[in-house]
Coordinates of all heavy atoms in Angstrom, one line a residue:
M1 N 3.4 -7.0 -20.0 CA 2.7 -8.1 -20.7 C 1.3 -7.7 -21.0 O 0.6 -7.1 -20.1 CB 2.8 -9.4 -19.9 CG 2.1 -10.5 -20.6 SD 2.0 -12.0 -19.6 CE 3.7 -12.4 -19.4
D2 N 0.8 -8.0 -22.1 CA -0.6 -7.7 -22.5 C -1.5 -8.6 -21.7 O -1.3 -9.8 -21.6 CB -0.8 -7.9 -24.0 CG -2.2 -7.7 -24.5 OD1 -2.8 -6.7 -23.9 OD2 -2.6 -8.4 -25.4
P3 N -2.6 -8.0 -21.1 CA -3.5 -8.8 -20.2 C -4.5 -9.6 -21.1 O -5.7 -9.5 -20.9 CB -4.1 -7.8 -19.3 CG -4.2 -6.5 -20.1 CD -2.9 -6.6 -21.0
S4 N -4.0 -10.4 -22.0 CA -4.9 -11.1 -22.9 C -5.2 -12.5 -22.2 O -4.4 -12.9 -21.3 CB -4.3 -11.4 -24.2 OG -3.2 -12.2 -24.1
P5 N -6.3 -13.1 -22.5 CA -6.6 -14.4 -22.0 C -5.5 -15.5 -22.2 O -5.2 -16.2 -21.3 CB -7.9 -14.8 -22.7 CG -8.5 -13.6 -23.1 CD -7.4 -12.6 -23.4
F6 N -4.9 -15.4 -23.3 CA -3.8 -16.4 -23.6 C -2.6 -16.2 -22.6 O -2.1 -17.1 -22.1 CB -3.3 -16.2 -25.1 CG -2.1 -17.0 -25.4 CD1 -2.3 -18.4 -25.6 CD2 -0.8 -16.5 -25.5 CE1 -1.2 -19.2 -25.9 CE2 0.2 -17.3 -25.8 CZ 0.1 -18.6 -26.0
N7 N -2.2 -14.9 -22.4 CA -1.1 -14.6 -21.5 C -1.5 -15.0 -20.0 O -0.6 -15.5 -19.3 CB -0.7 -13.2 -21.6 CG 0.0 -12.8 -22.8 OD1 0.5 -13.7 -23.5 ND2 0.0 -11.6 -23.2
V8 N -2.7 -14.8 -19.7 CA -3.1 -15.2 -18.3 C -3.0 -16.7 -18.1 O -2.5 -17.2 -17.1 CB -4.5 -14.6 -18.0 CG1 -5.1 -15.2 -16.7 CG2 -4.5 -13.1 -18.0
L9 N -3.5 -17.4 -19.1 CA -3.5 -18.9 -19.0 C -2.0 -19.4 -19.1 O -1.7 -20.4 -18.5 CB -4.3 -19.5 -20.1 CG -5.8 -19.3 -19.9 CD1 -6.6 -19.8 -21.0 CD2 -6.3 -19.8 -18.5
C10 N -1.1 -18.7 -19.8 CA 0.3 -19.1 -19.8 C 0.9 -18.9 -18.5 O 1.7 -19.7 -18.1 CB 1.0 -18.2 -20.9 SG 0.7 -18.8 -22.6
I11 N 0.6 -17.8 -17.8 CA 1.1 -17.6 -16.4 C 0.7 -18.8 -15.5 O 1.4 -19.3 -14.7 CB 0.7 -16.3 -15.8 CG1 1.4 -15.2 -16.6 CG2 0.9 -16.2 -14.4 CD1 0.9 -13.8 -16.3
K12 N -0.6 -19.2 -15.6 CA -1.1 -20.3 -14.8 C -0.3 -21.6 -15.2 O 0.0 -22.3 -14.3 CB -2.6 -20.5 -15.1 CG -3.3 -21.7 -14.5 CD -3.7 -21.4 -13.0 CE -4.4 -22.6 -12.5 NZ -5.4 -22.3 -11.5
A13 N -0.1 -21.8 -16.5 CA 0.7 -23.0 -16.9 C 2.1 -23.0 -16.4 O 2.6 -24.0 -15.9 CB 0.7 -23.1 -18.4
L14 N 2.7 -21.8 -16.4 CA 4.1 -21.7 -15.8 C 4.1 -22.0 -14.4 O 5.1 -22.7 -13.9 CB 4.6 -20.3 -16.1 CG 5.0 -20.0 -17.5 CD1 5.4 -18.5 -17.7 CD2 6.2 -20.8 -17.9
L15 N 3.1 -21.6 -13.6 CA 3.1 -21.9 -12.2 C 2.9 -23.4 -12.0 O 3.5 -24.0 -11.0 CB 2.0 -21.1 -11.5 CG 2.3 -19.6 -11.4 CD1 1.0 -18.9 -10.9 CD2 3.5 -19.3 -10.5
R16 N 2.1 -24.0 -12.8 CA 1.9 -25.5 -12.7 C 3.2 -26.2 -13.0 O 3.6 -27.2 -12.4 CB 0.8 -26.0 -13.6 CG -0.6 -25.6 -13.2 CD -1.0 -26.4 -12.0 NE -1.1 -27.8 -12.3 CZ -0.8 -28.8 -11.5 NH1 -0.5 -28.5 -10.2 NH2 -1.0 -30.0 -11.8
Y17 N 4.0 -25.7 -14.1 CA 5.3 -26.4 -14.4 C 6.2 -26.2 -13.2 O 7.0 -27.1 -13.0 CB 5.8 -25.7 -15.7 CG 5.1 -26.1 -16.9 CD1 4.9 -25.1 -17.9 CD2 4.5 -27.3 -17.1 CE1 4.2 -25.4 -19.1 CE2 3.8 -27.6 -18.3 CZ 3.6 -26.6 -19.2 OH 2.9 -26.9 -20.4
F18 N 6.2 -25.0 -12.6 CA 7.0 -24.8 -11.4 C 6.8 -25.8 -10.4 O 7.7 -26.4 -9.8 CB 6.7 -23.4 -10.9 CG 7.4 -23.1 -9.6 CD1 8.7 -22.6 -9.5 CD2 6.7 -23.2 -8.4 CE1 9.3 -22.3 -8.3 CE2 7.3 -22.9 -7.2 CZ 8.6 -22.5 -7.2
E19 N 5.5 -26.1 -10.1 CA 5.1 -27.2 -9.2 C 5.7 -28.5 -9.6 O 6.2 -29.2 -8.7 CB 3.6 -27.3 -9.1 CG 2.9 -26.2 -8.3 CD 1.4 -26.5 -8.2 OE1 0.8 -27.2 -9.1 OE2 0.8 -26.1 -7.3
L20 N 5.5 -28.9 -10.8 CA 5.9 -30.2 -11.3 C 7.4 -30.4 -11.3 O 7.9 -31.5 -10.9 CB 5.3 -30.5 -12.7 CG 3.8 -30.5 -12.7 CD1 3.4 -30.6 -14.2 CD2 3.3 -31.7 -11.9
V21 N 8.2 -29.4 -11.7 CA 9.6 -29.5 -11.8 C 10.3 -29.5 -10.4 O 11.2 -30.3 -10.1 CB 10.2 -28.4 -12.7 CG1 11.7 -28.3 -12.7 CG2 9.7 -28.6 -14.1
L22 N 9.9 -28.5 -9.6 CA 10.6 -28.3 -8.3 C 9.9 -29.1 -7.2 O 10.5 -29.2 -6.1 CB 10.6 -26.9 -8.0 CG 11.4 -26.0 -8.9 CD1 11.4 -24.6 -8.5 CD2 12.9 -26.5 -9.0
G23 N 8.7 -29.6 -7.4 CA 8.1 -30.4 -6.3 C 7.5 -29.5 -5.2 O 7.0 -30.0 -4.2
L24 N 7.5 -28.2 -5.4 CA 6.9 -27.3 -4.5 C 5.4 -27.0 -4.9 O 5.1 -27.2 -6.0 CB 7.6 -25.9 -4.4 CG 9.1 -26.0 -4.0 CD1 9.7 -24.7 -4.2 CD2 9.2 -26.5 -2.6
K25 N 4.6 -26.7 -3.9 CA 3.2 -26.6 -4.2 C 2.8 -25.1 -4.2 O 3.1 -24.3 -3.3 CB 2.4 -27.3 -3.0 CG 0.9 -27.2 -3.2 CD 0.5 -28.2 -4.3 CE -1.1 -28.2 -4.3 NZ -1.6 -28.5 -5.6
V26 N 2.1 -24.6 -5.2 CA 1.6 -23.3 -5.3 C 0.1 -23.4 -4.8 O -0.7 -24.1 -5.4 CB 1.6 -22.8 -6.8 CG1 1.0 -21.4 -6.9 CG2 3.0 -22.7 -7.3
N27 N -0.2 -22.6 -3.8 CA -1.5 -22.6 -3.2 C -2.3 -21.6 -4.0 O -2.3 -20.4 -3.6 CB -1.5 -22.4 -1.7 CG -2.8 -22.7 -1.1 OD1 -3.8 -22.7 -1.8 ND2 -2.8 -22.8 0.2
F28 N -3.1 -22.0 -5.0 CA -3.8 -21.1 -5.8 C -5.0 -20.5 -5.0 O -5.4 -19.3 -5.3 CB -4.3 -21.7 -7.1 CG -3.2 -22.1 -8.0 CD1 -2.9 -23.4 -8.2 CD2 -2.6 -21.2 -8.8 CE1 -1.8 -23.8 -9.1 CE2 -1.6 -21.5 -9.6 CZ -1.2 -22.8 -9.8
R29 N -5.5 -21.2 -4.1 CA -6.6 -20.6 -3.3 C -6.2 -19.5 -2.4 O -7.1 -18.6 -2.1 CB -7.3 -21.7 -2.4 CG -7.9 -22.8 -3.2 CD -8.6 -23.8 -2.4 NE -9.0 -24.9 -3.2 CZ -9.2 -26.1 -2.8 NH1 -9.0 -26.4 -1.5 NH2 -9.6 -27.1 -3.6
E30 N -5.0 -19.4 -2.0 CA -4.5 -18.3 -1.2 C -3.7 -17.3 -1.9 O -3.2 -16.3 -1.4 CB -3.6 -18.9 0.0 CG -4.4 -19.7 1.0 CD -3.6 -20.1 2.2 OE1 -2.5 -19.6 2.3 OE2 -4.1 -20.9 2.9
S31 N -3.7 -17.4 -3.3 CA -3.0 -16.4 -4.1 C -4.0 -15.3 -4.5 O -5.2 -15.5 -4.6 CB -2.5 -17.1 -5.4 OG -1.6 -18.1 -5.0
C32 N -3.4 -14.1 -4.7 CA -4.3 -13.0 -5.0 C -3.7 -12.3 -6.3 O -2.6 -12.4 -6.6 CB -4.3 -12.0 -3.9 SG -5.1 -12.5 -2.4
L33 N -4.6 -11.6 -7.0 CA -4.3 -10.9 -8.2 C -4.5 -9.4 -7.9 O -5.6 -9.1 -7.4 CB -5.2 -11.4 -9.3 CG -4.9 -11.0 -10.7 CD1 -3.6 -11.5 -11.2 CD2 -6.0 -11.5 -11.7
A34 N -3.6 -8.6 -8.3 CA -3.7 -7.2 -8.1 C -3.9 -6.4 -9.4 O -3.3 -6.8 -10.4 CB -2.5 -6.6 -7.4
N35 N -4.6 -5.4 -9.4 CA -4.9 -4.6 -10.6 C -3.9 -3.5 -10.7 O -3.9 -2.5 -9.9 CB -6.3 -4.0 -10.5 CG -6.6 -3.2 -11.7 OD1 -5.9 -3.1 -12.7 ND2 -7.8 -2.5 -11.7
V36 N -2.9 -3.6 -11.6 CA -1.9 -2.6 -11.8 C -2.0 -2.2 -13.3 O -1.4 -2.9 -14.2 CB -0.5 -3.1 -11.5 CG1 0.5 -2.0 -11.7 CG2 -0.5 -3.6 -10.0
G37 N -2.8 -1.2 -13.6 CA -2.9 -0.7 -15.0 C -3.7 -1.6 -15.9 O -3.4 -1.6 -17.1
V38 N -4.6 -2.4 -15.4 CA -5.4 -3.3 -16.2 C -6.9 -2.8 -16.0 O -7.3 -2.4 -15.0 CB -5.2 -4.7 -15.7 CG1 -6.1 -5.7 -16.5 CG2 -3.8 -5.1 -15.8
E39 N -7.6 -3.0 -17.1 CA -9.1 -2.6 -17.1 C -9.8 -3.4 -16.1 O -9.5 -4.6 -15.8 CB -9.7 -2.8 -18.5 CG -9.1 -2.0 -19.5 CD -9.6 -2.3 -20.9 OE1 -10.7 -3.0 -21.0 OE2 -9.1 -1.8 -21.9
E40 N -10.9 -2.8 -15.5 CA -11.7 -3.5 -14.5 C -12.4 -4.8 -15.1 O -12.6 -5.8 -14.4 CB -12.8 -2.6 -14.0 CG -12.2 -1.6 -13.0 CD -11.7 -2.2 -11.7 OE1 -12.3 -3.2 -11.3 OE2 -10.7 -1.7 -11.2
S41 N -12.7 -4.8 -16.4 CA -13.3 -6.0 -17.0 C -12.4 -7.2 -16.9 O -12.8 -8.3 -16.7 CB -13.8 -5.7 -18.4 OG -12.6 -5.4 -19.2
C42 N -11.1 -7.0 -17.1 CA -10.1 -8.0 -17.0 C -10.0 -8.5 -15.6 O -9.9 -9.7 -15.4 CB -8.8 -7.6 -17.5 SG -8.7 -7.2 -19.3
I43 N -10.0 -7.6 -14.7 CA -9.8 -8.0 -13.3 C -11.0 -8.8 -12.8 O -10.8 -9.7 -11.9 CB -9.6 -6.8 -12.4 CG1 -8.2 -6.2 -12.6 CG2 -9.8 -7.0 -10.9 CD1 -7.1 -7.2 -12.3
S44 N -12.2 -8.6 -13.3 CA -13.3 -9.4 -12.8 C -13.4 -10.8 -13.5 O -13.9 -11.7 -12.9 CB -14.6 -8.6 -13.1 OG -14.8 -8.5 -14.5
R45 N -12.7 -10.9 -14.6 CA -12.8 -12.2 -15.4 C -11.6 -13.1 -15.0 O -11.8 -14.3 -14.8 CB -12.8 -11.8 -16.9 CG -12.9 -13.0 -17.8 CD -12.9 -12.6 -19.2 NE -12.1 -11.4 -19.4 CZ -12.1 -10.6 -20.5 NH1 -12.9 -10.9 -21.4 NH2 -11.3 -9.6 -20.6
Y46 N -10.4 -12.6 -15.0 CA -9.2 -13.5 -14.9 C -9.1 -14.2 -13.5 O -8.7 -15.3 -13.5 CB -8.0 -12.7 -15.2 CG -7.9 -12.2 -16.6 CD1 -7.2 -11.1 -16.9 CD2 -8.5 -12.9 -17.6 CE1 -7.1 -10.6 -18.2 CE2 -8.5 -12.4 -18.9 CZ -7.7 -11.3 -19.2 OH -7.7 -10.9 -20.5
P47 N -9.5 -13.6 -12.4 CA -9.3 -14.4 -11.1 C -10.2 -15.6 -11.1 O -9.8 -16.6 -10.5 CB -9.8 -13.4 -10.1 CG -9.5 -12.1 -10.7 CD -9.8 -12.2 -12.1
R48 N -11.3 -15.6 -11.8 CA -12.1 -16.9 -11.8 C -11.4 -18.0 -12.6 O -11.5 -19.1 -12.3 CB -13.5 -16.6 -12.5 CG -14.4 -15.8 -11.6 CD -15.7 -15.6 -12.2 NE -15.4 -14.7 -13.3 CZ -16.4 -14.3 -14.2 NH1 -17.6 -14.6 -14.0 NH2 -16.1 -13.4 -15.1
W49 N -10.7 -17.6 -13.7 CA -9.9 -18.6 -14.4 C -8.8 -19.2 -13.6 O -8.4 -20.3 -13.8 CB -9.4 -18.0 -15.7 CG -10.4 -17.6 -16.7 CD1 -11.7 -17.8 -16.7 CD2 -10.1 -16.8 -17.9 NE1 -12.3 -17.2 -17.8 CE2 -11.4 -16.6 -18.5 CE3 -9.0 -16.3 -18.5 CZ2 -11.5 -16.0 -19.7 CZ3 -9.1 -15.6 -19.7 CH2 -10.3 -15.5 -20.3
L50 N -8.2 -18.3 -12.8 CA -7.0 -18.7 -12.1 C -7.3 -19.2 -10.7 O -6.3 -19.7 -10.0 CB -6.0 -17.5 -12.0 CG -5.5 -17.0 -13.3 CD1 -4.7 -15.7 -13.1 CD2 -4.6 -18.0 -14.0
N51 N -8.5 -19.1 -10.2 CA -8.9 -19.4 -8.8 C -8.2 -18.5 -7.8 O -7.7 -19.0 -6.8 CB -8.6 -20.9 -8.5 CG -9.5 -21.8 -9.3 OD1 -10.6 -21.5 -9.7 ND2 -9.0 -23.0 -9.6
Y52 N -8.0 -17.3 -8.2 CA -7.4 -16.3 -7.3 C -8.5 -15.3 -6.8 O -9.5 -15.1 -7.4 CB -6.4 -15.4 -8.1 CG -5.1 -16.1 -8.5 CD1 -4.3 -15.5 -9.4 CD2 -4.8 -17.3 -8.1 CE1 -3.1 -16.1 -9.8 CE2 -3.6 -17.9 -8.5 CZ -2.8 -17.3 -9.3 OH -1.6 -17.9 -9.7
C53 N -8.1 -14.6 -5.7 CA -9.0 -13.5 -5.2 C -8.3 -12.3 -5.7 O -7.2 -12.2 -6.1 CB -9.1 -13.6 -3.7 SG -7.5 -13.3 -2.8
V54 N -9.1 -11.2 -5.7 CA -8.5 -9.9 -6.1 C -8.2 -9.1 -4.9 O -9.0 -9.0 -3.9 CB -9.6 -9.1 -7.0 CG1 -9.1 -7.8 -7.4 CG2 -10.0 -9.9 -8.2
M55 N -7.0 -8.5 -4.9 CA -6.6 -7.6 -3.7 C -6.5 -6.2 -4.2 O -6.3 -5.9 -5.4 CB -5.3 -8.1 -3.1 CG -4.1 -7.9 -4.0 SD -2.7 -8.5 -3.0 CE -1.5 -8.5 -4.3
D56 N -6.6 -5.3 -3.3 CA -6.5 -3.9 -3.5 C -5.1 -3.4 -3.2 O -4.4 -4.0 -2.3 CB -7.5 -3.1 -2.7 CG -8.9 -3.4 -3.1 OD1 -9.2 -3.6 -4.3 OD2 -9.8 -3.4 -2.2
I57 N -4.6 -2.4 -3.9 CA -3.4 -1.8 -3.6 C -3.6 -0.5 -2.9 O -4.5 0.3 -3.4 CB -2.5 -1.6 -4.9 CG1 -2.2 -2.9 -5.5 CG2 -1.3 -0.8 -4.6 CD1 -1.5 -2.9 -6.8
P58 N -3.0 -0.1 -1.8 CA -1.9 -0.7 -1.1 C -2.4 -1.9 -0.3 O -3.6 -2.0 0.1 CB -1.4 0.4 -0.2 CG -2.5 1.2 0.0 CD -3.4 1.2 -1.2
F59 N -1.5 -2.9 0.0 CA -1.8 -4.0 0.8 C -0.6 -4.2 1.7 O 0.4 -3.6 1.6 CB -2.0 -5.3 -0.1 CG -0.8 -5.6 -0.9 CD1 0.1 -6.6 -0.5 CD2 -0.7 -5.1 -2.2 CE1 1.2 -6.9 -1.3 CE2 0.4 -5.4 -3.0 CZ 1.3 -6.4 -2.5
V60 N -0.8 -5.1 2.7 CA 0.2 -5.3 3.7 C 0.8 -6.7 3.5 O 0.1 -7.7 3.3 CB -0.4 -5.3 5.2 CG1 0.6 -5.7 6.2 CG2 -1.1 -4.0 5.5
Y61 N 2.1 -6.7 3.4 CA 2.9 -8.0 3.2 C 4.0 -8.0 4.3 O 4.9 -7.2 4.3 CB 3.5 -8.1 1.8 CG 4.3 -9.3 1.5 CD1 3.6 -10.5 1.4 CD2 5.6 -9.3 1.5 CE1 4.3 -11.7 1.2 CE2 6.3 -10.5 1.3 CZ 5.7 -11.7 1.1 OH 6.4 -12.8 0.9
L62 N 3.9 -9.0 5.1 CA 4.9 -9.2 6.2 C 5.0 -7.9 7.1 O 6.0 -7.5 7.6 CB 6.3 -9.5 5.7 CG 6.4 -10.9 4.9 CD1 7.8 -11.0 4.4 CD2 6.0 -12.0 5.8
G63 N 3.8 -7.3 7.3 CA 3.7 -6.1 8.1 C 4.1 -4.8 7.5 O 4.2 -3.8 8.1
I64 N 4.5 -4.8 6.2 CA 4.9 -3.6 5.5 C 3.9 -3.3 4.4 O 3.4 -4.2 3.7 CB 6.3 -3.9 4.8 CG1 7.3 -4.2 5.9 CG2 6.7 -2.6 4.0 CD1 8.7 -4.6 5.3
F65 N 3.5 -2.0 4.3 CA 2.6 -1.6 3.3 C 3.2 -1.6 1.9 O 4.3 -1.0 1.8 CB 2.0 -0.2 3.6 CG 0.9 -0.3 4.7 CD1 1.2 0.0 6.0 CD2 -0.4 -0.6 4.3 CE1 0.2 0.0 7.0 CE2 -1.4 -0.7 5.3 CZ -1.1 -0.4 6.6
I66 N 2.7 -2.3 1.0 CA 3.2 -2.3 -0.4 C 2.3 -1.4 -1.2 O 1.0 -1.6 -1.2 CB 3.2 -3.7 -0.9 CG1 4.0 -4.7 0.0 CG2 3.8 -3.8 -2.4 CD1 5.4 -4.4 0.1
G67 N 2.8 -0.5 -2.0 CA 2.1 0.3 -2.9 C 1.8 1.7 -2.3 O 1.0 2.5 -2.9
V68 N 2.4 2.0 -1.2 CA 2.2 3.4 -0.6 C 3.5 4.2 -0.9 O 4.5 3.6 -1.2 CB 2.0 3.3 0.9 CG1 0.7 2.6 1.3 CG2 3.2 2.7 1.7
N69 N 3.4 5.5 -0.7 CA 4.5 6.4 -1.0 C 5.4 6.3 0.2 O 5.1 6.7 1.3 CB 4.0 7.8 -1.2 CG 5.1 8.7 -1.5 OD1 6.3 8.3 -1.6 ND2 4.8 10.0 -1.7
L70 N 6.6 5.7 0.1 CA 7.5 5.5 1.2 C 8.2 6.7 1.6 O 8.9 6.8 2.6 CB 8.6 4.4 0.8 CG 8.0 3.0 0.6 CD1 9.0 2.0 0.2 CD2 7.3 2.5 1.9
R71 N 8.1 7.8 0.9 CA 8.6 9.1 1.3 C 7.7 9.7 2.3 O 8.2 10.7 3.0 CB 8.7 10.0 0.1 CG 9.7 9.5 -1.0 CD 9.8 10.5 -2.1 NE 10.5 9.8 -3.2 CZ 10.6 10.3 -4.4 NH1 9.9 11.3 -4.7 NH2 11.3 9.7 -5.3
N72 N 6.5 9.2 2.5 CA 5.6 9.7 3.5 C 6.0 9.2 4.8 O 6.1 7.9 5.0 CB 4.2 9.4 3.1 CG 3.1 10.0 4.0 OD1 3.5 10.5 5.1 ND2 1.9 9.9 3.6
E73 N 6.1 10.0 5.8 CA 6.5 9.6 7.1 C 5.5 8.6 7.7 O 5.9 7.7 8.5 CB 6.7 10.8 8.0 CG 7.2 10.5 9.4 CD 7.4 11.8 10.2 OE1 7.7 12.8 9.6 OE2 7.1 11.7 11.4
M74 N 4.3 8.8 7.5 CA 3.2 7.9 8.0 C 3.3 6.5 7.6 O 2.9 5.5 8.2 CB 1.8 8.5 7.7 CG 1.6 9.8 8.4 SD 1.8 9.8 10.2 CE 0.6 8.7 10.7
A75 N 3.9 6.2 6.4 CA 4.1 4.9 5.9 C 5.1 4.1 6.8 O 5.0 2.8 6.8 CB 4.6 4.9 4.5
W76 N 6.0 4.7 7.5 CA 7.0 4.1 8.3 C 6.6 3.9 9.7 O 7.3 3.1 10.5 CB 8.3 4.8 8.2 CG 8.9 4.8 6.8 CD1 8.8 5.7 5.9 CD2 9.6 3.7 6.3 NE1 9.4 5.3 4.7 CE2 10.0 4.1 5.0 CE3 10.1 2.5 6.8 CZ2 10.7 3.3 4.1 CZ3 10.8 1.7 5.9 CH2 11.1 2.1 4.6
V77 N 5.5 4.5 10.2 CA 5.1 4.4 11.6 C 4.8 3.0 12.0 O 5.4 2.6 13.1 CB 3.9 5.3 11.8 CG1 3.3 5.1 13.2 CG2 4.3 6.8 11.7
P78 N 4.1 2.1 11.3 CA 3.9 0.8 11.8 C 5.2 0.0 11.9 O 5.4 -0.9 12.8 CB 3.0 0.1 10.7 CG 2.4 1.3 10.0 CD 3.3 2.4 10.1
I79 N 6.1 0.2 11.0 CA 7.4 -0.5 11.0 C 8.2 -0.1 12.2 O 8.8 -0.9 12.9 CB 8.2 -0.3 9.7 CG1 7.3 -0.8 8.5 CG2 9.5 -0.9 9.7 CD1 7.8 -0.4 7.2
I80 N 8.3 1.2 12.4 CA 9.0 1.7 13.6 C 8.4 1.2 14.9 O 9.2 0.8 15.8 CB 9.1 3.2 13.5 CG1 9.9 3.7 12.3 CG2 9.6 3.8 14.8 CD1 9.9 5.1 12.0
K81 N 7.1 1.1 15.0 CA 6.4 0.6 16.2 C 6.8 -0.8 16.5 O 7.0 -1.2 17.6 CB 4.9 0.8 16.1 CG 4.5 2.2 16.3 CD 3.0 2.3 16.3 CE 2.5 3.7 16.5 NZ 1.0 3.7 16.5
K82 N 6.9 -1.6 15.4 CA 7.3 -3.0 15.6 C 8.7 -3.2 16.0 O 9.0 -4.1 16.8 CB 7.1 -3.8 14.3 CG 5.6 -4.1 14.0 CD 5.5 -5.0 12.8 CE 4.0 -5.3 12.6 NZ 3.8 -6.3 11.6
L83 N 9.6 -2.3 15.6 CA 11.0 -2.4 16.0 C 11.1 -2.0 17.5 O 11.9 -2.4 18.2 CB 11.9 -1.5 15.1 CG 12.0 -2.0 13.7 CD1 12.8 -1.0 12.9 CD2 12.6 -3.4 13.6

């Protein structure tokens, strides 16, 4: 998807419709936006519109590193230690 202001606001609107239709709450204050192939100028501007913070890749989700090379043995060490 093109990172245009219109598309960003459409994503925000879709998340709001999700809230209204399903009755579930999207916590925008705890949501993060990641930069994947988008210019830095967009990343600095869009999170303010969406009330999101910006996160760096790789990041940890449920104890697993997301965005790392899983072929690398060191990426699996934290998971093996938890098991």
Side-chain angles (χ1 to χ4, degrees):
M1 178 185 295
D2 180 34
S4 67
F6 176 76
N7 287 340
V8 171
L9 293 176
C10 283
I11 290 171
K12 174 84 173 207
L14 285 172
L15 290 172
R16 288 289 296 146
Y17 293 142
F18 173 82
E19 284 184 333
L20 296 172
V21 170
L22 296 178
L24 299 173
K25 182 75 174 152
V26 176
N27 192 343
F28 293 106
R29 292 182 190 157
E30 292 185 11
S31 300
C32 293
L33 190 65
N35 180 6
V36 179
V38 179
E39 297 176 12
E40 285 295 322
S41 62
C42 293
I43 286 298
S44 64
R45 181 178 35 193
Y46 295 153
R48 285 182 294 183
W49 293 353
L50 300 171
N51 295 328
Y52 289 171
C53 64
V54 178
M55 70 176 168
D56 295 323
I57 296 178
F59 61 93
V60 178
Y61 180 73
L62 298 176
I64 300 173
F65 283 97
I66 306 296
V68 297
N69 184 359
L70 295 177
R71 295 180 190 167
N72 185 350
E73 184 178 324
M74 295 306 295
W76 292 98
V77 170
I79 298 168
I80 293 170
K81 283 183 180 180
K82 284 187 178 189
L83 293 175

